[in-house]
Amino acid sequence: MSTPATKSQPVYPELEWDRTGTHHILFVAAEDAALARRLYASPPAGTLTVIHVADPAAGETAWNKDLPPQALHLAAPSLGDGLKLLNDALYVAQMGTRIYLAGPEDAIWQASQMADGYGVGRDEVRHAQIGSKARPVFCVHCRTITRGVHTNLVACSGCDRTLFVRDHFSRRLGAYMGFQIDAEVPGDVPAAEVIYP
Amino acid sequence: MSASMQVEITRIRDLAPGIREFSLSPAGEGSFPVYSGGSHIVLSLPLGARPHRNAYSLLGDPNERHTWRIAVRKQEDSRGGSRWLHEQAREGMKLDIAPPMNLFPLVRTGRRHILVAGGIGVTPILSQARELARIGADFEVHYAYRGPEFGVFSDELEALAPGRVHHYVQSRREQIEFRSLLSGRPLGTHFYICGPAGMVAASMEAGHTLGWPESHLHSEQFLAPAGGEAFDVKLAKSDKQFTVPSELSLLEAIEQQGVDAPYLCRGGACGQCELEVLEASGELLHHDLYLSAAERASGRKIMTCVSRLKGGCLTLNL
Ligand code: FES
């Protein structure tokens, strides 16, 4: 975990089970064998639903083997399918449920927004950034979110402006802010660098 | 503290033995501000030489700008506030009040709301119910009282939530089972309770056992400042020394000295009146609902609205 460059940049404490909960929903959208082993080794009491986004071609992964006995494992071939499964799980979930979201920021913050829609409080959701560090970037000019951004500069998928990716993160939008770089001198664009591998 | 405003008692109604409702209107021109469901005001009551301040929840419609309503239960052992309102208050009298403050607000993003009222604790629940009804939220009310004649706001509640008000009459041995009330509730449900201490504690325990997080459990409990033995106080900064008599709270005694001390709820709930204890020769009697066990043990803090010292002298950083 690194120190955030700005206050609004999310900090992700180490993911732990919240044992005050009586039902648990774990949404995972990236591999992290060490995390999977640690979480599965001491599962919390109560029901556990694992919604696992992974390419079906990947076969056995740390998230679908050595599952705790009470766990229900639901595989989703894409993020979109995973979010649908999460929506169904939240729809029937009861008070006492804790939600754990682990994956690239794009996935976990889309999932987080979905949980917000169910009136879930901040003490019921935990986030962990695993897998790709790619950022979702919100264009402040045309309000489109460009996903999977690895570079400090990116062409907006909505308006094609070249955006500079800031550390400023909006929880509500689930994205980092992107500002046009060549606003002053059009066409004067430095080369992009990969900084969010 | 907060700028005060003057109101006139426009109507007094006896609702049940020992329960009176007061309607208040602005004393001069103008109208009241809008408040939010769950708010309370602090009344300054003219008991003898000094004003005596008591907090009461507003129970009417938060959007009503001309009349505010409160309900007061007569506390036989009270040091005067509720007794004054029951015995001395008359229509046409003017009182100073501190404007509304909300320590028991609704969480409007909630998907469902469960409101629980015990006895006179129904007052903030009423204004919350009105606000929820107005925004079209999904809510239900559970109303517990001693005997059939004490369910004084049943009709008003029924009108706000037809078919969604559940009654529990103690004299008929009906009781709220919090475990079943709170189990199996959909995600995003919020729980609000105002009532006697034992009832609030039982509901919180049920909530915690069922895995409800703090952010969804809301309670309000105003303690009537208990009198007690007299003790001495030194105010280090204002350089005053005096005795807190048995019938006054520490906060009231400080105010009587003309010293401005912080407060909001005057009922041990909000934490606003906290003062630093510099020295205490005697045992601190913490009666508040605010300080943690560790803070109590440290002996460095006291909530002046409800807590006292047993014997000896208390030196405060004020
Ligand atoms: S004034 Fe609120 S705790 Fe004392």
Side-chain angles (χ1 to χ4, degrees):
Chain A
M1 203 181 12
S2 56
T3 355
T6 70
K7 249 229 201 100
S8 67
Q9 204 182 343
V11 177
Y12 303 99
E14 237 196 307
L15 194 60
E16 303 282 358
W17 298 116
D18 176 355
R19 297 180 193 277
T20 64
T22 47
H23 302 277
H24 307 267
I25 298 173
L26 171 62
F27 175 90
V28 288
E31 281 308 298
D32 187 328
L35 179 65
R37 254 182 271 119
R38 185 166 61 76
L39 291 179
Y40 285 176
S42 63
T47 65
L48 169 61
T49 305
V50 180
I51 298 170
H52 179 198
V53 179
D55 185 344
E60 188 168 273
T61 85
W63 293 115
N64 59 23
K65 72 170 204 244
D66 300 329
L67 281 156
Q70 85 268 36
L72 171 67
H73 180 273
L74 302 172
S78 70
L79 179 58
D81 292 316
L83 290 171
K84 273 194 209 116
L85 286 175
L86 178 65
N87 191 40
D88 294 345
L90 293 171
Y91 184 76
V92 296
Q94 300 178 356
M95 286 303 295
T97 303
R98 297 296 183 275
I99 300 154
Y100 310 86
L101 308 171
E105 283 183 308
D106 186 25
I108 62 178
W109 290 102
Q110 284 189 64
S112 191
Q113 278 179 291
M114 186 173 275
D116 288 347
Y118 282 90
V120 161
R122 292 211 178 174
D123 50 356
E124 291 161 282
V125 190
R126 281 156 187 69
H127 304 83
Q129 183 182 26
I130 58 173
S132 164
K133 295 267 192 294
R135 292 181 164 189
V137 178
F138 176 81
C139 173
V140 301
H141 311 285
C142 79
R143 316 184 70 81
T144 304
I145 294 181
T146 304
R147 302 193 182 277
V149 177
H150 294 280
T151 48
N152 59 343
L153 298 178
V154 66
C156 171
S157 58
C159 64
D160 212 35
R161 286 184 176 92
T162 303
L163 302 178
F164 175 67
V165 181
R166 301 279 300 271
D167 283 334
H168 188 109
F169 183 83
S170 158
R171 273 184 85 111
R172 194 175 57 78
L173 299 166
Y176 289 88
M177 298 296 118
F179 293 84
Q180 183 177 11
I181 184 102
D182 55 352
E184 312 256 299
V185 190
D188 186 3
V189 179
E193 279 174 68
V194 173
I195 44 178
Y196 316 116
Chain B
M1 284 293 297
S2 7
S4 74
M5 45 206 274
Q6 220 193 24
V7 300
E8 183 182 326
I9 301 174
T10 48
R11 185 164 175 224
I12 299 177
R13 277 202 305 156
D14 284 312
L15 302 180
I19 301 180
R20 276 189 148 185
E21 183 195 78
F22 295 82
S23 297
L24 310 170
S25 292
E29 296 284 288
S31 51
F32 285 135
V34 167
Y35 61 91
S36 54
S39 295
H40 71 270
I41 52 175
V42 174
L43 261 56
S44 292
L45 306 172
L47 267 73
R50 62 198 170 78
H52 182 104
R53 297 194 178 107
N54 272 12
Y56 295 100
S57 297
L58 291 168
L59 60 86
D61 179 348
N63 284 327
E64 164 61 54
R65 312 286 299 269
H66 296 286
T67 306
W68 280 349
R69 290 156 61 206
I70 59 169
V72 180
R73 173 163 164 212
K74 186 172 178 184
Q75 247 118 19
E76 291 302 340
D77 54 343
S78 100
R79 298 142 320 112
S82 72
R83 201 181 308 157
W84 186 89
L85 283 164
H86 274 262
E87 292 169 2
Q88 316 275 319
R90 297 283 176 270
E91 289 174 0
M93 280 183 171
K94 298 207 167 62
L95 296 175
D96 282 331
I97 68 166
M101 178 71 57
N102 201 346
L103 301 172
F104 193 36
L106 293 163
V107 177
R108 285 178 168 237
T109 52
R111 279 206 301 161
R112 181 173 297 178
H113 307 264
I114 304 172
L115 308 181
V116 176
I120 197 67
V122 68
T123 54
I125 298 297
L126 271 161
S127 68
Q128 290 184 328
R130 279 181 229 278
E131 186 167 324
L132 291 170
R134 185 164 44 82
I135 63 177
D138 179 356
F139 74 103
E140 62 192 54
V141 185
H142 299 263
Y143 185 16
Y145 38 90
R146 280 180 287 161
E149 70 275 31
F150 291 101
V152 292
F153 291 108
S154 299
D155 293 347
E156 282 192 47
L157 284 171
E158 273 305 332
L160 292 167
R164 285 173 288 141
V165 184
H166 306 263
H167 299 266
Y168 305 80
V169 185
Q170 233 176 25
S171 61
R172 295 193 204 129
R173 307 197 165 277
E174 294 163 359
Q175 226 193 346
I176 305 181
E177 290 299 334
F178 289 107
R179 281 293 284 270
S180 49
L181 182 64
L182 292 175
S183 68
R185 294 301 188 149
L187 208 59
T189 305
H190 283 265
F191 176 80
Y192 309 82
I193 183 168
C194 184
M199 184 178 172
V200 172
S203 70
M204 292 297 129
E205 200 197 304
H208 291 141
T209 309
L210 293 165
W212 283 57
E214 288 302 332
S215 64
H216 290 249
L217 294 170
H218 315 276
S219 65
E220 182 160 82
Q221 220 182 318
F222 283 159
L223 305 170
E229 287 169 41
F231 59 99
D232 292 328
V233 173
K234 269 189 214 158
L235 301 183
K237 281 197 267 183
S238 358
D239 192 23
K240 295 229 183 222
Q241 193 165 346
F242 54 95
T243 301
V244 180
S246 62
E247 73 281 6
L248 286 193
S249 70
L250 171 55
L251 175 60
E252 289 163 343
I254 295 171
E255 288 172 340
Q256 210 170 39
Q257 297 292 316
V259 177
D260 222 0
Y263 73 85
L264 275 183
C265 71
R266 304 182 78 90
C270 72
Q272 190 67 30
C273 65
E274 174 182 313
L275 287 183
E276 188 190 344
V277 173
L278 296 176
E279 222 183 300
S281 66
E283 187 197 342
L284 290 170
L285 302 174
H286 294 290
H287 297 306
D288 63 276
L289 306 163
Y290 182 81
L291 291 177
S292 67
E295 285 172 316
R296 287 174 180 222
S298 79
R300 307 290 302 165
K301 293 174 175 178
I302 188 165
M303 311 313 287
T304 61
C305 65
V306 288
S307 300
R308 311 180 73 85
L309 185 78
K310 189 172 168 58
C313 181
L314 178 67
T315 309
L316 297 171
N317 191 12
L318 180 71

